[in-house]
Amino acid sequence: MPRGTASSFYIDCSAGSMGIPDYPGMAPPVRCPQGVSNPLDGMTLKKCRSHQEECLRIHRALDKKKLEHRVPYCILGDSVYIHYSDGNSWERCCIKGKEGEETAKCEILFQAPDPTPEPEEPPDPMPETTKR
């Protein structure tokens, strides 16, 4: 997302959290920016969804996700970071599409491997001594 327009929040969409009834006051609070539009998104206002609606939207998009080598920008969509706690892995995804027809392009995030150390030089061999 372009700088200045990003908002961050954490939503727990695990199986235990999805059983929360969607009654007013029962769901965990979701903060939504009001009246925020982005020129890169066609100046459209972002829809504010409840906890369950947002989780269902993310799950629908991940059902149709496509893994990419790199997902640098998310224009006309929502950029999200997904944490899979059972495998301790992360994905950066761009979710696009109409309500009910969401798709996601994702890249797997991982820590760069440590550089391989260069092999050490073998020590100088012992000088040979000759008996006289």
Side-chain angles (χ1 to χ4, degrees):
M1 290 178 97
R3 291 193 183 277
T5 60
S7 65
S8 63
F9 55 91
Y10 173 79
I11 294 183
D12 182 6
C13 292
S14 61
S17 299
M18 292 299 289
I20 298 171
D22 207 8
Y23 300 119
M26 294 294 290
V30 177
R31 280 189 53 199
C32 296
Q34 297 297 323
V36 175
S37 61
N38 183 352
L40 295 176
D41 290 341
M43 297 303 287
T44 57
L45 295 175
K46 297 288 183 183
K47 182 179 179 185
C48 188
R49 297 174 186 86
S50 70
H51 179 269
Q52 277 192 331
E53 289 173 334
E54 190 66 34
C55 286
L56 291 172
R57 178 177 171 269
I58 291 170
H59 281 283
R60 281 192 305 263
L62 291 179
D63 285 342
K64 300 176 189 172
K65 82 174 173 184
K66 180 179 174 187
L67 285 178
E68 300 277 331
H69 179 66
R70 182 135 170 79
V71 182
Y73 298 108
C74 187
I75 299 174
L76 299 176
D78 293 322
S79 183
V80 297
Y81 289 85
I82 311 289
H83 178 240
Y84 297 100
S85 57
D86 58 347
N88 197 23
S89 61
W90 288 84
E91 288 181 348
R92 176 176 35 216
C93 299
C94 178
I95 297 178
K96 294 182 179 181
K98 296 178 182 177
E99 195 75 30
E101 300 173 10
E102 298 89 349
T103 59
K105 287 185 180 180
C106 301
E107 75 173 295
I108 297 173
L109 302 176
F110 58 90
Q111 183 176 357
D114 293 333
T116 57
E118 293 193 20
E120 293 182 16
E121 294 281 329
D124 289 335
M126 293 288 293
E128 288 186 30
T129 58
T130 58
K131 282 189 174 178
R132 289 192 183 177

